[in-house]
Every structure is written in structure tokens, then in C-alpha cells.
Amino acid sequence: MREFAYGSAESVEQAVAMLDGDPDAMFLGGGTNLVDLMRLGVATPGRLVDISRLPATVEQNEDGALRIGAAVRNSDLAADPRVRRGYPVLSEALLAGASGQLRNLATSGGNLLQRTRCLYFQDVTKPCNKREPGSGCPAREGLHRDLAVLGHSEACIATHPSDMAVALTALDAHVVVTGPAGPGRIPMDEFHRLPGDDPTRDTVLRHGDLITAIELPAPSELSRNSGYRKARDRASFAFAIGSVATAITVVDGTVTDVRVVLGAVAHKPWRARVAEQAIIGGPASAHAFEAALDLELSAAQPFPDNAFKVPLVRNLAVGQLCRLAGVEMSVGSVGAGTDGAGR
Amino acid sequence: MAAGRSQAYVRGVTPTHSPATAADPGRSPTAPSGASSDTSGRSDAATAAVTRSAYRLRINGTEHELDLDNRASLLDVLRDRLDLTGSKKGCDHGQCGACTVLLDGRRANSCLVLAVAAQGREITTVEGLAGADGELHPVQQAFLDHDAYQCGYCTPGQICSAVAVLDEVANGWPSAVTRDPDAVELDRAEVRERMAGNICRCGAYANIVPAVLEAQRLTAGAAGGDGAVTR
């Protein structure tokens, strides 16, 4: 591990000032990903600015909107009664991620900024365009079983590992940032990037930008009728091989609003807008959900060893939408109980 | 660590064995001993960055003064500087839980915590769980009574984790398998899910689960928790 200087910030302003003009410096939150990447030699900061002691509160505004401080720990957020009741998809996604120990350390802001768990990215002896631009992507021909099936590029087929980010995308959250260029408020769906020809950048943030909060709109019928489902290789404490955050409202058998966001299939949480448009205004039925997901996933470009993800996330989404809409899964649907999500 | 190399000193504690670790970079420090942690803002390119810090850690109720390379993990400091070798290094990546300690009463992987970032926290290791009179913590006693280990390497982490689990349940924290978040009850499925961050390569889970349930029964009188997890 490279030697580094350490300082602890006591205010947002101080934190931003400590990083400004020092391209070698990084913010340190809970450290669950950054410290590991430093140990692996993937991250090599010359200075760490510890922001884990900045205010960590969850506050509800007068209009009901929830403002989650960036330093709020994942465990606190998952247990918050306002989150559990108003936005169950967020609580479920948080509890589906990592372990009790890691959730106690991990911060809300840091969760969004964690890096891909692509094996090549984490191994400095291997080429990786995300880590070392222009060095190549061995995953295309190599181990890509856990990697992207949507929105990937010639340069990078990594997936974003966060469960929380998938839920936040379904909740129309905003990421509140400040930095050398001043404050900003970024819609969750625009916060993470597709890799394109610059996979080094996971998000739209620039060096020195600091996430200060995550904002959720006031709880609604839609957000309260939401949920998260995750498929993984063991029953607990593993990254998703496919996941889905959904929310739906149904009036007299007709879908009035819906969110479908797929996780572990792309470089960012995949808002399935094509499927959403196909579902809204139509009947709440398994067949309608299946057709909508098939339409969305017709854009998928899987690799030889991860083609299974396409039916996996389809079935997760259909099963979850049926459950939330209170409708029967269709007879013979592969979505019925065979999605491996274990819940 | 080679004798005489000015890597670290620990007042009041005799440094013991110190194999090469992240805390022991094998290079001369780039700043004079005793430098405090840097809160001055960005580095001056003309000045060598201060890459070590002097600070205090409060562990099992005792204050320790340290002056260490910033790369030292809390786990390495516990084991290699303070001779608190109960916490174990399994994977060093936060994946096995053998290094689990309590920070302000909440369980955490000490391998992923930089020691310098643990200042001001109340750190409890497995060595600090028993009472002053030597009476074992109910979780420790339950692990003994249920033979909840084989080789024992993961056991300190399992025990620290279980202590926190009981507190989390008492404070109403749901888990991924909780059916009614407003009525959190510990059962086999809950123990298995909540203890998922602690891997036992011997596969002693069959006895660990009953031990944790037994420990909860032993501590039921104190239900409500000590409030640690709600801080």
C-alpha cells in the first residue's frame, strides 16, 4: 500500500477545501471498499480526507421529503422506521447487501461510490480499461459470468455492485453534491454513467465533488408499495448476480404507475423505461409484465457465460411486480418460484 | 519488525512480536515521530507529506497512545502493537468476519478500519467482553456450553458479532429475513442471516446457531439493549 497523509474533516466546507487542488487526495467514508482497494493496489491515494464524522442524520422536511446525510451508515438507514414504512425497497435493498459488520461501517455516500467487483479491475496484474485506460478488457473473452448484459461498451463490461443504488433509482432519488464547481443536485438515474469509451469514470462527479446527502421525494402510494429482490450465489452476504427494484400502483386492475430498475446487469442501475412505458396504463397481469420485460430485454447483449442473467432478471421483475400488484403469476411462467432469489 | 527501526512506539505497552504488515512498511517514516494527524488542509508540494499520525485509541476501557504509519489497520494495531491477539486475521478483505470487533458497541470488520480513523471510538475486542471478575459474557458461555467451534480461529469474531446481534435485535433492527419489521424476533433463520458475515471453515454453524439463541435467552432479562446500536 502506498503511504498516505490523513486528515479528518469537521465540516463539509473543510472537506472540500482539503481535497481541492490535490489530485492525489480522496475522501474516506466507511472505508469498506476504499481501504480494500488500497490494499490491493487498485486505489493509490496520497492523502485521505476522513469525512465519516460529518453530520449523519436522516431528516424529514415539512413536505415529507427525506434527506439522508451522506455519512449515515447503511445499517441505520435500513432500520429507520421512516425508510422501512415509506420506502420499503430501500430498506430491503440495504439489508440484502453485505454483512451486519459492513453495513455498520458503510456510508450512504460511499455506497454510491463503490467500485465494480469485476475480477480484472481488482487485480493489478491484469489489464483493465477502467483501471488503466487503453490496457484492454480481458473480461470479454475471460471471466464475465457476473458482468454486464446491458449498456456495456467495447472498453468495459463491468457492473455496478450496489444494491442501494438500484432502490434509489426506483425511488426517483437525487444525489446532493458540493465541490469546487459549487453545489449540485443530480437525479439518481443520471448519477452513474454507462462506460462508453471512458470507463474510468463510474459517475458524473468530478474530482473534489463531495456527496452531502441523498434526497427522496415524500413517501407516496408508489414508494410504499415497493420492494427489492436479489439473486446471488449463496443465501446471504454475496453480491447480486441479478436484482430488481420495483414499485407499482394499480387502480381497478389498471397500472397507474410503475418503476422497474434492474441491478447487476449494467455499469449503472438499469432503469427499465421501455418496460415501464409498456406497463403503465395496461392491465396488471403476469402476461403484461412478461411482455414488457421481454421488450426491455430485447436490447440485452449477453456474453457466452452470462446469458442466464436475461431470463433471471426478467423473472425476478415479473415475480416481484405480480407480488406487489397482488396478481397471480401465470401458469407455467418461469417467473413462478424458480428465480432462485431465495425469499 | 527489525529492532531499532523507529516504526512505532506505544507508551505503557511493550511492543511485542511485529511481523511485516501494512503497519510496518519497512521504510523510514517520512515525518518526525510525534507528528499529529494532519488537519491543515491540502499538502504543500514542496513538503513531504506526513504519512504517520500520533493519536489515542480507547480499547476495552484503556487508552493507548500510538504513533503509527497511517496505513496501519485497526486489526494490525490490535494484534501486532497491543498484543490483543484475540481478533484474528482471516481474509483481510472484510469477507470472513474473523476480525470482528465492536466500535461504539457496533460490530465492524477491524481489517477494513484504519486505526487512525478509529480515534474517539470505544473499541471492544473479545478480550474485553468478560466481566472484571472474569465472568464470561453470556455469549462466550453459550459458545462453550454448545461446543460452537472446532478449530476456534473464527470464534472471537463470531462471539463479537453475536454480542452485537443480540443488541441489534433488542433494538428492533430488522434483517433481510424479518417478516414483520415491527416485531423482530430471533429464530434460527434470523441467526443464520444476521451471522452471515462470519465464516466458519470448520462448519461449526450447527452449534453456533443454538449458541446464539441460547445467549439471547440468557440475556433476555436485559432485553431492550444498552442503546449502543441506536447511537
Side-chain angles (χ1 to χ4, degrees):
Chain A
M1 194 189 295
R2 183 186 170 193
E3 288 177 296
F4 60 86
Y6 170 89
S8 186
E10 280 155 30
S11 68
V12 166
E13 295 71 25
Q14 189 190 18
V16 170
M18 286 168 81
L19 221 71
D20 191 16
D22 185 352
D24 225 14
M26 293 180 77
F27 292 122
L28 172 69
T32 56
N33 189 209
L34 179 56
V35 170
D36 193 32
L37 291 174
M38 290 166 66
R39 193 166 284 146
L40 293 167
V42 175
T44 55
R47 170 187 299 271
L48 288 183
V49 175
D50 189 344
I51 51 167
S52 64
R53 286 157 210 273
L54 295 183
T57 56
V58 181
E59 289 166 11
Q60 195 147 27
N61 301 344
E62 285 171 17
D63 62 358
L66 210 62
R67 185 182 171 90
I68 302 158
V72 171
R73 308 286 169 160
N74 284 183
S75 49
D76 288 311
L77 188 58
D80 192 303
R82 293 165 296 185
V83 173
R84 279 160 34 198
R85 297 189 183 113
Y87 318 89
V89 65
L90 178 55
S91 182
E92 290 173 20
L94 286 161
L95 292 173
S99 66
Q101 291 95 315
L102 291 168
R103 291 193 293 271
N104 276 339
L105 291 170
T107 63
S108 305
N111 188 309
L112 296 182
L113 296 179
Q114 61 180 310
R115 310 301 306 273
T116 183
R117 268 33 176 223
C118 174
L119 297 170
Y120 300 99
F121 175 74
Q122 296 186 97
D123 182 348
V124 295
T125 68
K126 301 289 190 297
C128 169
N129 288 323
K130 184 180 280 297
R131 183 166 33 74
E132 210 174 309
S135 62
C137 175
R140 300 184 70 87
E141 303 293 326
L143 298 171
H144 54 241
R145 184 253 188 191
D146 296 340
L147 302 182
V149 296
L150 285 160
H152 51 73
S153 70
E154 199 60 38
C156 182
I157 65 170
T159 49
H160 195 266
S162 170
D163 294 299
M164 183 186 84
V166 181
L168 290 176
T169 305
L171 292 170
D172 299 318
H174 282 74
V175 183
V176 184
V177 302
T178 190
R185 194 168 177 276
I186 305 164
M188 191 56 211
D189 193 32
E190 296 168 23
F191 181 77
H192 292 99
R193 300 173 65 251
L194 290 178
D197 56 10
D198 183 10
T200 61
R201 294 179 60 212
D202 297 347
T203 72
V204 297
L205 295 187
R206 296 289 180 178
H207 182 77
D209 284 340
L210 174 66
I211 298 174
T212 55
I214 296 164
E215 289 183 350
L216 297 177
S220 62
E221 207 180 325
L222 185 70
S223 74
R224 277 189 284 266
N225 194 38
S226 65
Y228 189 73
R229 269 197 111 184
K230 173 175 178 176
R232 42 189 161 178
D233 288 332
R234 56 185 185 190
S236 184
F237 194 19
F239 287 98
I241 53 175
S243 72
V244 57
T246 49
I248 190 166
T249 51
V250 179
V251 176
D252 297 333
T254 299
V255 178
T256 51
D257 204 358
V258 71
R259 295 288 182 281
V260 180
V261 185
L262 308 177
V265 292
H267 200 255
K268 60 182 285 190
W270 189 267
R271 174 97 184 253
R273 290 183 188 275
V274 171
E276 290 177 4
Q277 286 309 311
I279 292 170
I280 291 177
S285 76
H287 285 304
F289 301 151
E290 286 166 3
L293 265 297
D294 286 339
L295 195 61
E296 177 78 38
L297 290 165
S298 63
Q301 293 183 298
F303 293 87
D305 294 336
N306 70 1
F308 73 95
K309 285 193 174 192
V310 177
L312 175 70
V313 294
R314 170 202 188 264
N315 297 343
L316 284 174
V318 170
Q320 182 79 347
L321 286 167
C322 285
R323 186 183 71 77
L324 291 172
V327 300
E328 296 276 323
M329 282 180 236
S330 59
V331 177
S333 165
V334 284
T338 59
D339 56 36
R343 284 187 63 196
Chain B
M1 182 175 74
R5 197 189 297 164
S6 59
Q7 291 295 336
Y9 64 85
V10 181
R11 275 178 228 140
V13 178
T14 306
T16 53
H17 55 81
S18 297
T21 65
D24 190 359
R27 288 185 239 173
S28 299
T30 55
S33 151
S36 61
S37 64
D38 176 16
T39 55
S40 63
R42 61 178 191 251
S43 63
D44 183 340
T47 313
V50 178
T51 59
R52 56 188 299 124
S53 303
Y55 53 93
R56 291 174 161 216
L57 293 182
R58 185 170 171 82
I59 302 163
N60 300 331
T62 303
E63 293 272 350
H64 299 268
E65 291 196 33
L66 300 157
D67 181 356
L68 292 173
D69 188 297
N70 290 334
R71 289 173 290 184
S73 71
L74 177 58
L75 176 63
D76 285 340
V77 170
L78 291 172
R79 291 183 53 81
D80 300 340
R81 305 292 176 187
L82 304 178
D83 207 23
L84 292 166
T85 55
S87 307
K88 297 293 188 283
K89 184 180 284 190
C91 68
D92 216 20
H93 291 287
Q95 296 172 0
C96 78
C99 66
T100 301
V101 300
L102 306 179
L103 297 183
D104 295 334
R106 300 165 57 142
R107 54 186 168 149
N109 305 92
S110 63
C111 73
L112 292 179
V113 175
L114 295 173
V116 67
Q119 299 171 64
R121 305 287 206 98
E122 184 74 44
I123 300 160
T124 306
T125 69
V126 71
E127 291 92 342
L129 291 179
D133 56 356
E135 188 188 356
L136 293 179
H137 187 283
V139 173
Q140 293 174 304
Q141 189 61 51
F143 268 63
L144 276 175
D145 294 344
H146 286 265
D147 195 21
Y149 43 78
Q150 193 177 128
C151 82
Y153 193 80
C154 72
T155 308
Q158 300 273 4
I159 288 174
C160 284
S161 196
V163 168
V165 164
L166 300 188
D167 211 32
E168 291 164 11
V169 170
N171 283 282
W173 281 18
S175 83
V177 300
T178 302
R179 286 197 169 78
D180 178 2
D182 293 320
V184 178
E185 299 274 348
L186 203 59
D187 58 18
R188 288 185 60 87
E190 286 278 359
V191 172
R192 291 167 64 89
E193 163 61 25
R194 290 170 186 269
M195 294 292 289
N198 292 83
I199 310 296
C200 172
R201 288 207 67 181
C202 301
Y205 304 111
N207 289 353
I208 291 171
V209 174
V212 176
L213 290 169
E214 166 82 358
Q216 197 206 22
R217 283 191 291 275
L218 291 172
T219 56
D226 61 12
V229 301
T230 56
R231 274 206 285 268

